[in-house]
Amino acid sequence: MNHPLKNTLSLMLLSTLSLGSAQKVASPIPIGIAVAQTSNASLFGQEQVIGARLAEKFLNARGGVGGTPIKLVFQDTSGDEAGAINAFQNLISKDNVVGIVGPTLSQQAFSADPIADRAKVPVLGPSNTAKGIPQIGAYISRVSAPVTAIAPNALKQALKINPKIKKVAVLYAQNDAFSTSETGIFQQTAKDLDLNVATVQKFQTTDNDFTTQVTAVLGENVDLVIISGLANDSGNLIKQLRQLGYKGLIVGGNGLNSSSMFPICGQYCDGVIVAQAYSPTQSSAANQLFAREYKAQYKKDPPQFAAQAYTGVQVFVDALKVLDHKKKIADWDLSDLRIALNKQLLIGKYKTPLGDLSFDKDGDIVQQAFYVAQIKMKDTKNGTFVFLK
Ligand code: PYR
């Protein structure tokens, strides 16, 4: 019989045991994936889930970690800070993962990453591009190149397409850490390129009506509009810019880097320029394999968010393999392994779908190549990112 007192006693005994004795690493080896499976941020998160799952399937088919498979443990962060904190806490204390790939947004990372850092659990940010992410702590690294490396490329490409651009409008989501970070880089780059920033307009990621901002932009007669926001807000903003008569070029930031945004702005997405940290045509063997597998399953080119999530899982697995050579992962104490894994991943070199990569001393990604794409819509829902030279 299940007596309540007996249950309480065994719980107390269990917690004493786990406090007093070392916790071993589970088999299969648990790796946490804390991304947005719900909320507007799931426009990115769903692609991350696909990328991570492909990595799990693929890497396990190739022997996992010295013959031991990995097992991804998913916790939905939703789109806010509380969701990310909750997901991180569950992965760290309940699911006993060796490391975490997540969260989806920089805005969430600034709240959730310090929890993992204090618990000495390595984190690989799959899509956190704001300035300052790896500097959150010694256990925080990322496989998503920062806005400083990416954003300027889109502006330079816009000038290549239209060298006459002089006057620009800048819009950004003021309640989002990535968007405020990215707009800073866009605005600095615009000044460096001798462009006149005629107006800077703010919005919220939760906004749906952009009439005020669009009216201000139209009043300035600009040749280029630069947007830093997330997918839903930026998509609606683009749609309203076009509907109200803006005809010039549009540069979007990393928040527009997902085909999930196409149904939001529909045919109005056409022509938007977006810099990328990934190209499906990247020539490495690792990417050819990944892109082929993705395309076979989803009938389209893999997007950046999927490639980055895949890469996050792969970096953990490659680093675990090195440690497994020293001592089988199953024989490690979990806390010791998390510390060793963080050290190992920072010194490793990786052949990934993003190309060859490593990390700098802060844990920021060192990546070889970046790209710029322009959105080409086929109809009101479907389109592609066409990579520009
Ligand atoms: C970020 O939140 O950092 C993104 O790039 C979306």
Side-chain angles (χ1 to χ4, degrees):
M1 211 182 81
N2 246 346
H3 194 278
L5 183 64
K6 194 176 126 200
N7 279 348
T8 316
L9 283 175
S10 43
L11 260 181
M12 282 168 66
L13 185 67
L14 258 179
S15 50
T16 318
L17 276 176
S18 62
L19 276 180
S21 69
Q23 164 113 39
K24 290 288 181 203
V25 180
S27 180
I29 302 163
I31 297 174
I33 309 292
V35 297
Q37 294 177 265
T38 55
S39 84
N40 277 345
S42 70
L43 293 174
F44 311 131
Q46 283 163 3
E47 291 176 348
Q48 297 178 308
V49 168
I50 290 172
R53 282 207 192 285
L54 275 178
E56 181 185 43
K57 183 179 151 200
F58 202 76
L59 299 166
N60 278 341
R62 275 151 191 77
V65 178
T68 307
I70 57 156
K71 180 179 184 303
L72 300 186
V73 185
F74 287 85
Q75 289 282 351
D76 178 14
T77 60
S78 189
D80 60 7
E81 293 89 327
I85 289 170
N86 191 42
F88 270 50
Q89 281 170 337
N90 280 331
L91 290 172
I92 294 166
S93 308
K94 190 165 81 58
D95 302 321
N96 295 318
V97 300
V98 297
I100 298 173
V101 176
T104 298
L105 303 178
S106 293
Q107 179 70 28
Q108 298 175 299
F110 284 115
S111 294
D113 284 358
I115 290 165
D117 191 59
R118 279 196 294 276
K120 297 189 166 60
V121 176
V123 173
L124 282 168
S127 52
N128 313 138
T129 63
K131 267 163 73 173
I133 295 285
Q135 291 76 20
I136 291 171
Y139 286 82
I140 312 303
S141 311
R142 65 174 155 196
V143 293
S144 44
V147 288
T148 41
I150 303 283
N153 303 333
L155 279 195
K156 286 174 194 155
Q157 188 62 243
L159 280 170
K160 239 166 117 179
I161 295 171
N162 178 8
K164 295 210 184 83
I165 292 172
K166 278 276 168 295
K167 215 173 165 189
V168 308
V170 173
L171 300 102
Y172 73 95
Q174 61 176 333
N175 63 332
D176 178 65
F178 142 72
S179 303
T180 53
S181 183
E182 191 188 61
T183 197
I185 303 302
F186 272 141
Q187 291 180 46
Q188 185 56 50
T189 309
K191 282 179 197 131
D192 295 346
L193 294 170
D194 278 334
L195 300 173
N196 166 16
V197 180
T199 180
V200 178
Q201 295 290 319
K202 299 172 192 169
F203 59 89
Q204 306 281 328
T205 50
T206 47
D207 284 349
N208 285 309
D209 180 358
F210 300 92
T211 319
T212 312
Q213 292 88 345
V214 172
T215 307
V217 170
L218 292 176
E220 293 292 346
N221 231 346
V222 297
D223 326 293
L224 174 70
V225 167
I226 306 167
I227 299 171
S228 294
L230 301 181
N232 195 59
D233 45 342
S234 301
N236 278 312
L237 171 54
I238 289 168
K239 182 168 153 186
Q240 290 168 36
L241 269 165
R242 292 300 189 206
Q243 283 174 333
L244 292 171
Y246 175 68
K247 298 229 173 345
L249 275 176
I250 298 176
V251 161
N254 200 39
L256 285 173
N257 213 335
S258 160
S259 56
S260 315
M261 183 270 295
F262 295 164
I264 300 166
C265 42
Q267 78 256 37
Y268 302 109
C269 304
D270 204 68
V272 173
I273 297 164
V274 187
Q276 311 264 341
Y278 169 72
S279 164
T281 60
Q282 208 277 340
S283 62
S284 69
N287 184 48
Q288 293 308 309
L289 251 80
F290 164 70
R292 204 166 53 227
E293 184 99 348
Y294 185 99
K295 224 172 161 164
Q297 215 164 321
Y298 298 97
K299 313 292 173 230
K300 59 174 189 178
D301 282 334
Q304 177 198 276
F305 284 92
Q308 288 173 324
Y310 181 106
T311 299
V313 175
Q314 188 199 324
V315 167
F316 273 137
V317 170
D318 284 355
L320 283 165
K321 282 184 192 166
V322 178
L323 298 177
D324 189 70
H325 280 307
K326 295 180 187 160
K327 182 164 96 181
K328 289 307 283 175
I329 298 299
D331 297 332
W332 283 79
D333 165 69
L334 177 61
S335 313
D336 292 346
L337 179 71
R338 286 165 164 175
I339 294 167
L341 179 56
N342 191 58
K343 276 199 189 123
Q344 181 56 46
L345 77 87
L346 285 169
I347 57 172
K349 289 192 190 329
Y350 306 90
K351 292 193 177 304
T352 78
L354 306 178
D356 288 359
L357 67 86
S358 58
F359 296 95
D360 72 11
K361 62 171 185 15
D362 288 336
D364 216 344
I365 184 172
V366 178
Q367 188 178 340
Q368 311 305 318
F370 302 110
Y371 315 86
V372 181
Q374 191 165 28
I375 297 171
K376 182 87 200 125
M377 294 304 290
K378 259 204 325 258
D379 51 46
T380 55
K381 281 201 173 62
N382 302 292
T384 46
F385 287 101
V386 178
F387 284 77
L388 304 171
K389 295 259 178 305

